[in-house]
């Protein structure tokens, strides 16, 4: 059995959806579960709706109509016959947010956020499920919120594995057969009160891995707009090359350091049951792609580059310049956790603790304000964090060039450096 995941770029318009149908037709005759993301930039559009409600800016109806119009165009292009009932179904999804519209929220309205952004995945899968049926495939639509269960940590729900595995095998598995395609959503789930939760941005890969684990899948495929896992972002490194094989261990390292092609939590469920994963191109589906598996051999002669822009460098010191000790570190980490700010790289000296973070600006400003109650705090913005796996000294020298080095760390296999521009 195989689990497929198609991201937003692979279903961004009518032609892209037709391409997905073509790919799926090649695999008919074997059990198949398909996990699908929101179409194109739909999540960004839904985030705009979320902001409109929070800010009460009077543009809510305009934002909702823009979302509906985008999907109505795709529906009109996909189906020869008019589908007013399908358009109505998309409109009905927004009725669930009506009770929220007259409430007052602060910026931490994570429950509302999850309720809103889930509309993207629900809409895309409804449209694609109908297109597959019209194309002659036996498509079965499943609401992921009924089978994937998390705690109530909105925006980054933590999986209840025991309950999820039980529900997947009771409700989804009976629909999996050689003559059907099961279609469900990535990214979304629900808590014990059946409130919608999400798994974090780009969490659709994780959804596919969860289902692969629960169903004991043979293979999982992630379909991307790149030929496989590349050693660097081709937009920044024109000489980027495809990695033919990557071990689970190497994939976890790359994901941890921010490689965008793999969600950080995706690999672990696959590794536990030794499920092979392929990253393949939906543009050229017959190409080999990249195999990620337990026994894959990583080519350490090829360095991998991971870049993260928009970093903030935060430096914290005690007011009396006493040593930063365990008591201070415990309090500092508690502040970061409370504000849900993730640390990408850190180090400390006798009197300073320094961390680079990448998160929403309002959260950083609130964190800094909180820390300033107990410490002296300085910060820089617009830094770039670069991680190199399997580096050499020549690469490091070329990388630094004339840029400001805020922080660097080096281990046997990994070099990390936080860089600023001379003008910053």
């Amino acid at each position: 059995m195989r689990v497929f995941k198609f991201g937003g770029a692979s279903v961004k318009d009518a032609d892209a959806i037709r391409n997905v149908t073509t790919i799926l037709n090649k695999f008919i005759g074997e059990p198949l579960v398909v996990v699908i993301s929101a179409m194109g930039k739909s999540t960004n559009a839904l985030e705009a709706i979320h902001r409109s409600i929070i800010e009460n800016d009077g543009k809510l109806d305009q934002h909702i109509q823009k979302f509906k119009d985008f999907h109505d165009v795709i529906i009109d292009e996909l189906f020869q016959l008019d589908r007013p009932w399908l358009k109505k179904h998309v409109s009905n999804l927004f009725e669930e947010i009506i009770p929220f519209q007259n409430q007052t929220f602060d910026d931490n309205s994570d429950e509302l956020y999850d309720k809103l952004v889930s509309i993207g995945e629900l809409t895309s899968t409804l449209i694609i499920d109908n297109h597959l049926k019209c194309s002659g495939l036996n498509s079965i639509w499943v609401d992921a919120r009924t089978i994937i269960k998390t705690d109530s940590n909105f925006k980054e729900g933590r999986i209840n594995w025991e309950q999820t595995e039980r529900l997947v095998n009771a409700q989804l598995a009976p629909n999996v057969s050689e003559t059907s395609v099961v279609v469900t959503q990535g990214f979304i789930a629900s808590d014990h009160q059946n409130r919608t939760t999400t798994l974090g941005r780009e969490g659709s890969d994780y959804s596919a891995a969860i289902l692969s684990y629960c169903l004991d899948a043979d293979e999982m495929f992630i379909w991307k707009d790149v030929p496989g896992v590349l050693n660097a972002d081709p937009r920044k490194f024109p000489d980027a090359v495809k990695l033919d094989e990557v071990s689970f261990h190497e994939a976890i390292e790359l994901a941890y350091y921010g490689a965008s092609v793999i969600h950080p939590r995706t690999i672990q469920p696959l590794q536990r049951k030794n499920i092979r994963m392929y990253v393949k191109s939906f543009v050229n589906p017959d190409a080999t792609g990249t195999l990620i598996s337990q026994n894959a051999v990583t080519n350490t002669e090829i360095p991998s580059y991971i870049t993260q822009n928009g970093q903030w460098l935060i430096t914290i010191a005690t007011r009396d310049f006493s040593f930063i000790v365990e008591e201070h570190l415990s309090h500092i980490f508690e502040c970061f956790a409370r504000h849900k700010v993730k640390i990408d790289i850190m180090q400390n000296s006798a009197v300073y603790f320094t961390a680079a973070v990448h998160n929403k600006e309002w959260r950083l400003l609130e964190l800094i304000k909180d820390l300033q109650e107990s410490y002296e705090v300085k910060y820089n913005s617009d830094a770039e964090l670069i991680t190199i796996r399997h580096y050499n000294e020549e690469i490091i020298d070329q990388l630094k060039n004339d840029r400001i080095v805020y922080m660097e760390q080096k281990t046997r296999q990994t070099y990390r450096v936080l860089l600023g521009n001379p003008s910053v």
Side-chain angles (χ1 to χ4, degrees):
M1 193 201 74
R2 289 172 166 149
V3 174
F4 284 4
K5 179 264 177 176
F6 289 95
S10 64
V11 292
K12 65 181 179 179
D13 54 31
D15 285 340
I17 293 169
R18 294 188 186 100
N19 183 55
V20 168
T21 303
T22 299
I23 292 173
L24 294 180
N25 266 304
K26 295 181 179 181
F27 292 89
I28 293 302
E30 58 185 276
L32 191 61
V33 174
V34 182
V35 175
I36 297 174
S37 300
M39 294 177 173
K41 301 297 184 182
S42 294
T43 300
N44 292 338
L46 290 163
E47 287 178 338
I49 293 172
H50 177 252
R51 288 193 301 272
S52 184
I53 293 176
I54 298 300
E55 297 170 3
N56 193 22
D57 60 5
K59 298 180 180 179
L60 178 60
D61 290 341
Q62 176 184 331
H63 287 304
I64 292 176
Q65 192 60 49
K66 183 177 180 180
F67 178 91
K68 291 178 181 178
D69 289 346
F70 170 77
H71 290 88
D72 284 352
V73 168
I74 292 176
I75 292 171
D76 289 338
E77 291 181 4
L78 279 178
F79 303 102
Q80 293 181 348
L81 298 176
D82 192 18
R83 284 289 194 279
W85 57 269
L86 186 54
K87 294 179 181 179
K88 178 63 175 175
H89 205 149
V90 173
S91 295
N92 288 344
L93 291 173
F94 284 94
E95 291 183 4
E96 294 186 21
I97 71 170
I98 291 175
F100 291 98
Q101 294 182 26
N102 296 321
Q103 297 183 32
T104 301
F105 297 94
D106 58 23
D107 284 335
N108 197 28
S109 56
D110 292 348
E111 181 182 355
L112 171 62
Y113 177 92
D114 282 2
K115 172 68 74 174
L116 283 168
V117 297
S118 67
I119 294 173
E121 275 71 19
L122 294 169
T123 301
S124 67
T125 53
L126 283 169
I127 294 172
I128 291 167
D129 170 66
N130 276 273
H131 184 256
L132 294 177
K133 286 182 170 70
C134 290
S135 302
L137 297 180
N138 180 23
S139 178
I140 301 170
W141 186 88
V142 174
D143 188 336
R145 296 173 298 179
T146 65
I147 56 174
I148 298 181
K149 289 293 183 176
T150 71
D151 61 9
S152 301
N153 186 34
F154 298 104
K155 298 186 81 171
E156 292 192 14
R158 291 182 285 267
I159 298 297
N160 181 327
W161 284 98
E162 181 179 351
Q163 187 179 15
T164 296
E165 190 165 12
R166 183 173 66 252
L167 289 170
V168 168
N169 282 283
Q171 299 183 30
L172 186 147
N175 294 310
V176 179
S177 72
E178 296 177 356
T179 59
S180 65
V181 178
V182 176
V183 173
T184 191
Q185 306 80 34
F187 180 54
I188 69 174
S190 68
D191 68 3
H192 68 285
Q193 298 182 46
N194 293 322
R195 295 176 298 180
T196 300
T197 59
T198 60
L199 307 179
R201 286 301 295 264
E202 310 303 327
S204 292
D205 290 0
Y206 189 36
S207 297
I210 292 166
L211 296 181
S212 296
Y213 176 90
C214 293
L215 294 166
D216 290 319
D218 298 301
E219 298 173 332
M220 173 176 147
F221 285 62
I222 296 179
W223 297 91
K224 308 281 288 186
D225 56 356
V226 291
V229 177
L230 304 181
N231 75 319
D233 185 340
R235 294 168 296 184
K236 298 179 180 179
F237 297 86
D239 297 330
V241 297
K242 180 174 73 71
L243 305 175
D244 295 328
E245 292 187 6
V246 177
S247 68
F248 280 140
H249 177 266
E250 183 69 14
I252 290 173
E253 292 282 357
L254 293 173
Y256 173 78
Y257 291 123
S260 60
V261 76
I262 308 168
H263 189 273
R265 292 175 291 180
T266 299
I267 302 301
Q268 292 171 338
L270 304 178
Q271 185 179 30
R272 289 203 297 268
K273 289 195 175 180
N274 197 19
I275 299 170
R276 298 183 300 275
M277 183 174 87
Y278 292 88
V279 179
K280 299 194 64 171
S281 168
F282 61 76
V283 178
N284 186 13
D286 294 326
T288 56
T290 298
L291 167 65
I292 302 175
S293 70
Q294 188 70 50
N295 299 320
V297 179
T298 301
N299 185 349
T300 57
E301 297 298 315
I302 302 176
S304 292
Y305 301 82
I306 303 162
T307 60
Q308 295 172 283
N309 294 315
Q311 292 281 318
W312 285 46
L313 176 68
I314 302 176
T315 301
I316 303 163
T318 55
R319 296 192 187 280
D320 59 359
F321 285 92
S322 60
F323 289 165
I324 293 279
V325 295
E326 288 80 2
E327 181 181 351
H328 299 117
L329 292 173
S330 177
H331 177 242
I332 290 168
F333 285 131
E334 189 276 329
C335 288
F336 275 85
R338 180 158 20 93
H339 291 279
K340 298 183 178 181
V341 174
K342 295 181 179 179
I343 297 175
D344 290 319
I345 186 173
M346 61 185 173
Q347 66 185 35
N348 66 284
S349 62
V351 296
Y352 294 107
F353 175 82
T354 305
V357 300
H358 181 83
N359 214 310
K360 290 186 177 180
E361 183 173 333
W362 65 266
R363 280 189 173 168
L364 291 179
L365 295 176
E366 289 297 318
L367 168 66
I368 290 169
K369 181 180 178 181
D370 194 357
L371 289 168
Q372 285 174 334
E373 294 180 5
S374 304
Y375 308 98
E376 295 290 339
V377 181
K378 297 180 180 180
Y379 62 91
N380 300 78
S381 59
D382 296 323
E384 180 182 26
L385 177 61
I386 302 179
T387 302
I388 308 173
R389 290 280 292 167
H390 316 301
Y391 64 91
N392 58 50
E393 294 302 325
E394 181 180 355
I395 290 174
I396 292 175
D397 291 340
Q398 292 174 350
L399 194 66
K400 290 180 182 178
N401 201 359
D402 294 325
R403 299 179 68 182
I404 298 171
V405 176
Y406 289 131
M407 189 190 318
E408 60 183 329
Q409 295 177 356
K410 185 187 295 185
T411 64
R412 289 186 179 90
Q413 297 291 330
T414 306
Y415 172 76
R416 310 191 78 194
V417 61
L418 187 71
L419 297 172
N421 295 311
S423 59
V424 177

